[in-house]
Amino acid sequence: EVSIEEFAGDLAVVALRLCDNDERGRLRAHFRVLAFYDVTDVATPVLLSTWSSGTRTQGANSVSVVQRADGILLVATTIRQSLLHTDEVLGDVRFIDATNPTSPVELADWDNRSDGRPVEGEHDEEELHAHSVILSSDGLSAWVSHWDAGTILLDLEDPATPTFAGAIGFLPDGEGNRHSSVVDEERALLIVNEEDFYPSDDDGHTVGWGKQHIYDVSDPTEPIEIAEFATSKSTDAGELGFDGIYSVHDTVLDGSVAISSWYSDGIRIVDLSDPEQPIEIGSFVPPRSRDPVDYWVAPNGATAFPMVWGVDVLNDLIFVSDMNSGLWIVQLDEETPTEDEPGPAPG
């Protein structure tokens, strides 16, 4: 809900990205933009405007929106591999002034490879892209998940001139896989998710499907890692799973509880009352289902498994989007048990 001179009501900003990301697909005149909708009457959304990420780009991968104290309605978005696809003209991270949502204006583009710190060691340029971005609640800073370049803090005091303020998680000779993050500003905690689709150590890949890293960001320019969390099937500390994709994807916070989509491990509900000792207190794993477009295949060749992509919370309900089996609505219960196997097939 926003209230600005040009608009008052409920505004939705929708990120649209191409599925076909090869050069031929990106050259087509597809709809790959941010779309701004007036959803004050949610039953009849009204398209106010669109913003284009540029030709040859694949469109927006993530979006974060904040109304700042100075009145600017700031939108941050990531355009994966924009720097490479535009011959280093436009960076992967974009900042947009949507104070007038009928006419959004791009303020700046930023990319660690062109504007940030040098990256040491040998890395594939494809693995240094910006994957997602989240704005602070005041819109004065942003955390960017810059994949193998780590999680990067930007100073946005002047949103037209983003500046590098710090980074964590860069590994000179290894994977970073920094996919997404979420911040508990009240307790100064940053939760960073690694996404890894290669669980073996072939071709130099790290063993396992990745972890969650929990940082104390009391001083956001000097984060301190205080804990890690992973499921038993996502690391070689347990029984590494090969009959699905056991990587973490996204996280939402509900008070001191972190609820994460963990692909074939469903959703994982973790108590962070003591952030140095994360404790799993519940989970929900949808039934094994075949990918309707035959894209996902597990390392052992399996083609039917849960693939929980997204998670959100409203009151005591958790909305779980499984790419293979559809949308599930789960009631959050203090007595929800932890389960490690997919549930029964529906009906």
Side-chain angles (χ1 to χ4, degrees), residues 292-313:
V293 296
D294 294 323
Y295 179 81
W296 298 106
V297 178
N300 72 351
T303 56
F305 40 83
M307 275 298 286
V308 174
W309 173 270
V311 60
D312 209 346
V313 177

Side-chain angles (χ1 to χ4, degrees), residues 54-76:
T55 58
R56 294 182 61 199
T57 63
Q58 62 174 299
N61 186 67
S62 72
V63 63
S64 182
V65 185
V66 167
Q67 186 170 9
R68 296 172 26 135
D70 59 10
I72 295 175
L73 185 66
L74 185 62
V75 178

Side-chain angles (χ1 to χ4, degrees), residues 21-70:
N21 187 35
D22 60 21
E23 179 74 9
R24 181 179 177 184
R26 287 185 284 104
L27 286 174
R28 294 173 182 164
H30 290 304
F31 196 60
R32 67 194 102 174
V33 293
L34 293 180
F36 295 80
Y37 286 90
D38 180 349
V39 291
T40 306
D41 180 357
V42 70
T44 56
V46 178
L47 178 63
L48 299 174
S49 65
T50 59
W51 168 85
S52 174
S53 57
T55 58
R56 294 182 61 199
T57 63
Q58 62 174 299
N61 186 67
S62 72
V63 63
S64 182
V65 185
V66 167
Q67 186 170 9
R68 296 172 26 135
D70 59 10

Side-chain angles (χ1 to χ4, degrees), residues 166-295:
I168 48 176
F170 170 65
L171 304 175
D173 300 310
E175 297 176 287
N177 297 337
R178 296 306 174 103
H179 170 273
S180 60
S181 58
V182 63
V183 179
D184 180 340
E185 293 187 352
E186 184 175 338
R187 299 197 297 158
L189 297 175
L190 173 72
I191 301 169
V192 174
N193 294 328
E194 294 178 343
E195 183 184 53
D196 191 349
F197 291 127
Y198 304 97
S200 70
D201 59 359
D202 298 339
D203 299 322
H205 288 287
T206 304
V207 176
W209 295 97
K211 304 175 182 177
Q212 281 185 328
H213 299 267
I214 303 168
Y215 295 88
D216 178 339
V217 287
S218 300
D219 178 355
T221 64
E222 296 289 342
I224 301 171
E225 184 164 2
I226 58 175
E228 292 180 345
F229 176 79
T231 66
S232 61
K233 293 184 179 180
S234 63
T235 72
D236 56 359
E239 295 184 14
L240 195 62
F242 293 99
D243 58 344
I245 310 293
Y246 291 95
S247 181
V248 64
H249 190 240
D250 285 328
T251 298
V252 295
L253 293 175
D254 184 42
S256 62
V257 173
I259 305 173
S260 302
S261 52
W262 213 289
Y263 287 127
S264 297
D265 259 333
I267 60 166
R268 296 286 143 168
I269 304 171
V270 176
D271 184 355
L272 295 178
S273 297
D274 178 357
E276 296 185 17
Q277 298 290 331
I279 299 173
E280 184 173 312
I281 58 173
S283 65
F284 169 76
V285 184
R288 292 186 181 275
S289 300
R290 187 180 179 88
D291 176 4
V293 296
D294 294 323
Y295 179 81

Side-chain angles (χ1 to χ4, degrees), residues 65-72 74 135-142 154 156-157 185:
V65 185
V66 167
Q67 186 170 9
R68 296 172 26 135
D70 59 10
I72 295 175
L74 185 62
L135 292 166
S136 60
S137 61
D138 58 12
L140 295 178
S141 63
L154 296 181
L156 299 177
E157 183 175 359
E185 293 187 352

Side-chain angles (χ1 to χ4, degrees), residues 322-336:
D322 183 334
M323 288 187 283
N324 292 351
S325 66
L327 177 67
W328 298 80
I329 302 175
V330 181
Q331 189 164 30
L332 182 60
D333 189 326
E334 292 183 359
E335 301 301 322
T336 301

Side-chain angles (χ1 to χ4, degrees), residues 119-140:
V119 173
E120 301 173 356
E122 294 185 8
H123 281 267
D124 183 344
E125 284 292 301
E126 292 282 336
E127 298 299 311
L128 298 175
H129 69 272
H131 193 92
S132 63
V133 57
I134 55 169
L135 292 166
S136 60
S137 61
D138 58 12
L140 295 178

